[in-house]
Amino acid sequence: MIGSGCSPARRPESPVRAARAPWARSVGAVTTDAELLAVYDESMRGAPAVPGPGVVYERDGPLTRAVGGFRGFVFGPRDTGLRGAALDGLIARQRDRFAERGETVEWRVHAHDGPPELTERLLSAGFAAGRTMSVLVGASAELATEPVLPDGVVLRRVTRARDMRRIAALQAAVWDMDLGWLPGFLTARIAAAPDDTVVLVAEHEGEAVCAAWIFLWPDRRYAGLRGGTTVPEWRGRGVYRALIAERARIAAARGVPYLQVDASDDSLPVLRRLGFRTVTTMTQYVWSPSAP
């Protein structure tokens, strides 16, 4: 269990499974990969129903632009239905809109998206291919167990700005990235949706060793697991698994049946062993005003 203080972590004799949400479908026993992919396409890949703090949605045909955040995003269906010059024009309008604003924009392309020439046309328009990640879906009720932590490690739910700065520093140090936007993003998200945003940090002797958060979208029946970065010296000791279990407990308690993760190659084996299923892969295509 989590707390707001730093009491010693409990090590239960055996994990305790949370009660199954009454309308959750079993990912392992009932739902096929094709059905899971359909759930992802219908409920998880689009723009969130409510824009984040400071974000405004703009519609452009089959696409939704999210402007005003730490970076822009383009959300679209599995296939826009456009080809050739019409597709080029749609891509150019997104690039030009963010160029007007001086903002970086990310367009996520999945392995099952169409048409096949979409990625080539994005590259021709000045987008650059970034990381490719595996998209996984799991059942919250099947993954919700009592988190088992190493001796001396405690798990806390945090809301204060200084904790967000600590989390950003941990993430930036591990990934060697500029994450100066992250504390403000998480703080604003908590203020705007406190019941649907949970940020967790695992600590040992007051030092953060892992941090993760969960965004819940009950109306869409899923929650997104984000973060999950563990400092190198604490990897392989169960801390990451404990944060997965606690976030699954939170989702199951809210009646949210599905969990979704964009997984790196490092976390993919752990998530698969826990019961997540890979439904597709996703590559980030990014256009930046500073790009040559």
Side-chain angles (χ1 to χ4, degrees):
M1 297 291 289
I2 60 174
S4 58
C6 291
S7 57
R10 294 192 295 111
R11 295 177 58 86
E13 294 181 1
S14 60
V16 177
R17 288 198 177 274
R20 179 183 297 274
W23 37 282
R25 293 189 295 174
S26 170
V27 168
V30 175
T31 310
T32 67
D33 288 346
E35 289 173 328
L36 277 181
L37 180 57
V39 169
Y40 175 77
D41 281 334
E42 292 165 7
S43 301
M44 304 179 190
R45 68 175 290 163
V50 179
V55 175
V56 175
Y57 289 161
E58 299 176 349
R59 292 287 299 177
D60 186 346
L63 303 181
T64 299
R65 287 189 296 265
V67 303
F70 66 92
R71 72 164 34 174
F73 287 91
V74 174
F75 298 97
R78 182 170 178 168
D79 192 326
T80 64
L82 301 179
R83 302 291 186 269
L87 180 58
D88 286 337
L90 183 70
I91 293 170
R93 289 200 302 274
Q94 313 319 306
R95 177 199 61 203
D96 294 348
R97 175 62 175 135
F98 286 98
E100 292 174 357
R101 297 180 57 86
E103 293 181 1
T104 296
V105 57
E106 180 177 321
W107 186 319
R108 298 184 170 190
V109 179
H110 300 81
H112 65 292
D113 285 351
E117 65 266 24
L118 174 60
T119 56
E120 178 183 343
R121 293 180 182 277
L122 284 168
L123 293 171
S124 296
F127 286 76
R131 291 195 302 165
T132 296
M133 293 180 284
S134 297
V135 178
L136 290 88
V137 177
S140 61
E142 295 178 0
L143 293 159
T145 62
E146 183 80 16
V148 180
L149 294 162
D151 289 334
V153 174
V154 296
L155 191 57
R156 291 197 302 128
R157 178 175 180 173
V158 294
T159 59
R160 294 176 297 184
R162 67 182 184 184
D163 286 310
M164 306 307 150
R165 291 192 291 270
R166 294 172 63 216
I167 289 169
L170 182 156
Q171 300 263 125
V174 170
W175 298 110
D176 191 24
M177 297 172 63
D178 179 4
L179 295 174
W181 56 269
L182 185 58
F185 171 76
L186 290 175
T187 300
R189 179 83 190 211
I190 291 169
D195 294 333
D196 296 334
T197 306
V198 179
V199 181
L200 303 171
V201 61
E203 298 174 331
H204 180 259
E205 296 180 352
E207 294 295 322
V209 300
C210 185
W213 47 98
I214 180 172
F215 298 146
L216 297 115
W217 289 283
D219 59 324
R220 294 192 177 183
R221 299 179 32 165
Y222 89 100
L225 304 189
R226 305 294 182 254
T229 297
T230 307
V231 298
E233 57 269 30
W234 279 92
R235 292 175 184 167
R237 300 170 70 173
V239 181
Y240 178 74
R241 291 193 302 273
L243 268 72
I244 292 288
E246 183 60 28
R247 287 178 290 171
R249 282 163 52 91
I250 292 167
R254 290 283 303 277
V256 175
Y258 294 109
L259 304 175
Q260 186 274 320
V261 189
D262 297 328
S264 67
D265 290 342
D266 291 334
S267 58
L268 179 60
V270 176
L271 292 165
R272 294 278 296 180
R273 286 195 298 270
L274 289 173
F276 282 87
R277 299 254 293 279
T278 303
V279 297
T280 188
T281 60
M282 177 274 295
T283 301
Q284 301 166 317
Y285 283 81
V286 178
W287 181 88
S288 173
S290 61

